[in-house]
């Protein structure tokens, strides 16, 4: 190839990059920014960013960090933080030692490192869906393949029979991945379902990746069953955790990868050393959050309990809408009376702005400044992005009840008005 033809040849994007899906949670963000530029106030039900304050104890330690140098931390994270986490897990009857905990840059890095350490390119992971969309992104990054077992809104997103899992198991199957309580559905796996998963893992000698970042938010009297509680598969389990939602600390990027399997830990540590260290400041804040914040956690739990009831009751009162009662986390998936929820969500940001006597005259924008408010709308996450089947979830959205009750009330009213107008324009069912 001569120099001229080389100069004219277009640079190629990687196949991995082409296959990487856009986030269903953030893909509508540009439309939201444009709406805010037009003065539209947005009630953000699309993303799991709690509006509740971070524990005062954590903020105080952040303001008073007394260090001359902000140095690299150990690749596995500070031992003092890992020791504090041992005490935290003890409250949930999960018995660990500090060496079984590796601190990561958020729960996201824990998932990615688990995949990179346990799976070869082409290996398959079975995941109940709808599922957290970034699992697909992490699998693509690791060269792994997601195979899904679909759950349905009509059945409250409970697990299908074990035969549905076994239909997918072949020589490439290496793992099952669960999120418990579940994002995006809020579903909590029962004791029977967890035993079903344990038996599959044991029968086929699979890894069990268990994302349990929402364990604080369980709204049922049933006992919390962690993957770490399952007997007979201790070396198969990799637990994924994070302080992001627990303490409203999404921005400090502190998570954890936990396993009893020493070989997995040694392998994970190679990736940890390659990325040098988890965030120093984040670890300091996270450690300060663990002890002495029990009342904070109780207050947060009660707040989400109230919000859950308000959102679920409110959605189910809107004509044509339905959502089951989520038993954990702070999300629910709702079915809307539209043919294409993604189109509706985008339309809410581009073409709809409700204004009445309750609409504020001014609104606060991201930089803290105020501008004239021209109307209000809602932002939701189209649920189709949480499924791999392109025909699934097209009339569904994920809603995060991370706003105070007063704002949820307004958001649900605006959603009702938006649906009425959209149906008239589009002729939806």
């Amino acid at each position: 190839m001569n120099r001229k033809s080389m100069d004219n040849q277009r640079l190629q994007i990687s196949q991995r990059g082409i296959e990487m899906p856009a986030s269903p949670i953030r893909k509508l963000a540009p439309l939201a920014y444009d709406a805010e530029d037009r003065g539209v106030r947005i009630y953000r039900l699309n993303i799991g960013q709690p509006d509740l304050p971070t524990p005062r104890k954590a903020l105080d330690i952040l303001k008073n960090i007394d260090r001359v140098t902000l140095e690299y931390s150990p690749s596995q994270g500070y031992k003092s933080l890992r020791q504090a986490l041992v005490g935290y897990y003890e409250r949930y009857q999960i018995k660990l030692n500090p060496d079984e905990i590796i601190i990561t840059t958020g729960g996201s890095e824990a998932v990615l490192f688990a995949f990179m350490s346990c799976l070869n390119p082409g290996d398959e992971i079975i995941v109940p869906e709808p599922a957290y969309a970034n699992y697909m992104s992490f699998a693509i990054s690791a060269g792994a393949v997601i195979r899904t077992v679909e759950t349905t809104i009509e059945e409250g997103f409970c697990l299908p029979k074990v035969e549905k899992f076994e239909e997918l198991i072949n020589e490439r199957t290496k793992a099952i991945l669960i999120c418990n309580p579940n994002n995006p559905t809020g579903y909590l796996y029962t004791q029977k379902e967890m035993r079903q998963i344990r038996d599959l893992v044991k029968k086929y000698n699979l890894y069990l990746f268990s994302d349990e970042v929402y364990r604080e938010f369980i709204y049922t009297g049933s006992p919390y069953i962690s993957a770490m509680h399952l007997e007979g598969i201790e070396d198969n389990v990799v637990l994924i955790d994070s302080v992001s939602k627990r303490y409203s600390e999404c921005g400090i990027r502190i998570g954890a990868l936990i396993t009893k399997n020493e070989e997995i830990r040694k392998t994970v540590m190679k990736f940890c050393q390659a990325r040098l260290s988890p965030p120093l400041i984040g670890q300091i804040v996270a450690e300060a959050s663990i002890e002495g914040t029990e009342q904070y956690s109780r207050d947060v739990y009660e707040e989400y309990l109230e919000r859950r009831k308000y959102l679920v009751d409110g959605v189910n009162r809107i004509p044509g809408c339905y959502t089951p009662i989520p038993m954990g986390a702070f999300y629910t998936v709702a079915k809307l009376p539209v043919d294409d929820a993604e189109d509706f969500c985008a339309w809410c940001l581009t073409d709809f702005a409700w204004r009445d006597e309750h609409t504020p005259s001014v609104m606060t924008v991201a930089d803290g400044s105020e501008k004239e408010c021209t109307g209000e709308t809602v932002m939701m996450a189209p649920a189709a992005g949480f499924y791999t089947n392109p025909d699934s979830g097209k009339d569904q959205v994920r809603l995060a009840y991370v706003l105070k009750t007063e704002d949820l009330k307004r958001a649900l009213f605006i959603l009702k008005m938006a649906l009425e107008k959209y149906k008239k324009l589009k002729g939806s069912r």
Side-chain angles (χ1 to χ4, degrees), residues 75 103-115 138 240 253 257 268 271-272 275 277-279:
S75 295
I103 303 302
T104 57
T105 307
S108 296
E109 187 179 71
V111 177
L112 179 60
F113 283 1
F115 288 0
F138 301 140
I240 309 300
R253 308 310 304 135
L257 184 153
V268 169
F271 292 101
C272 290
R275 64 86 161 102
S277 69

Side-chain angles (χ1 to χ4, degrees), residues 126-142:
I126 298 175
V127 185
E129 70 172 358
Y132 178 52
N134 281 341
Y135 294 150
M136 178 65 76
S137 302
F138 301 140
I140 290 171
S141 299

Side-chain angles (χ1 to χ4, degrees), residues 117-225:
S117 300
C118 299
L119 307 173
N120 289 315
D123 283 349
E124 297 181 358
I125 315 162
I126 298 175
V127 185
E129 70 172 358
Y132 178 52
N134 281 341
Y135 294 150
M136 178 65 76
S137 302
F138 301 140
I140 290 171
S141 299
V145 177
I146 295 284
R147 302 287 303 279
T148 58
V149 176
E150 187 168 327
T151 66
T152 67
I153 193 169
E154 290 79 13
E155 295 181 334
F157 300 111
C158 66
L159 278 187
K161 293 180 179 179
V162 68
E163 290 80 11
K164 291 293 184 181
F165 282 85
E166 293 192 307
E167 287 173 6
L168 297 178
I169 294 176
N170 59 56
E171 69 279 358
R172 302 298 297 174
T173 307
K174 293 295 166 43
I176 293 174
L177 168 63
I178 61 172
C179 181
N180 188 34
N182 186 268
N183 174 12
T185 66
Y187 186 76
L188 180 71
Y189 292 116
T190 65
Q191 201 163 29
K192 180 181 178 181
E193 288 170 327
M194 291 298 285
R195 285 198 298 266
Q196 171 185 326
I197 291 169
R198 176 202 61 196
D199 293 345
L200 281 168
V201 167
K202 194 170 184 178
K203 180 178 179 180
Y204 294 99
N205 193 28
L206 305 174
Y207 291 111
L208 175 56
F209 303 129
S210 187
D211 182 343
E212 302 181 11
V213 305
Y214 297 100
R215 79 170 55 78
E216 269 75 19
F217 311 116
I218 293 175
Y219 314 112
T220 173
S222 302
Y224 160 64
I225 308 297

Side-chain angles (χ1 to χ4, degrees), residues 12-152:
Q12 297 296 307
I13 298 298
S14 72
Q15 189 61 36
R16 182 187 295 109
I18 293 169
E19 293 175 1
M20 185 73 72
S23 168
I25 304 167
R26 297 175 182 266
K27 69 187 298 184
L28 299 180
L31 303 183
Y33 298 144
D34 289 345
E36 287 180 325
D37 286 343
R38 299 193 305 272
V40 178
R41 181 184 181 184
I42 300 173
Y43 293 92
R44 296 177 182 272
L45 304 177
N46 65 306
I47 192 167
Q49 172 55 64
D51 67 341
L52 298 173
T54 300
R56 172 52 52 188
K57 187 169 178 278
L59 294 175
D60 287 344
I61 202 79
L62 177 63
K63 292 175 183 177
N64 296 289
I65 292 175
D66 184 19
R67 287 174 179 259
V68 175
T69 302
L70 299 176
E71 74 279 6
Y72 288 125
S73 69
S75 295
Q76 70 270 42
Y78 282 118
K79 188 169 185 178
S80 59
L81 172 56
R82 291 183 284 120
Q83 286 174 324
L85 285 170
V86 168
Y88 163 80
Y89 291 114
E90 181 69 32
R91 303 174 203 165
Y92 293 91
Q93 290 75 54
I94 299 173
K95 299 186 183 300
L96 300 167
N97 67 60
D99 291 339
E100 293 168 337
I101 302 172
I102 297 173
I103 303 302
T104 57
T105 307
S108 296
E109 187 179 71
V111 177
L112 179 60
F113 283 1
F115 288 0
M116 298 285 281
S117 300
C118 299
L119 307 173
N120 289 315
D123 283 349
E124 297 181 358
I125 315 162
I126 298 175
V127 185
E129 70 172 358
Y132 178 52
N134 281 341
Y135 294 150
M136 178 65 76
S137 302
F138 301 140
I140 290 171
S141 299
V145 177
I146 295 284
R147 302 287 303 279
T148 58
V149 176
E150 187 168 327
T151 66
T152 67

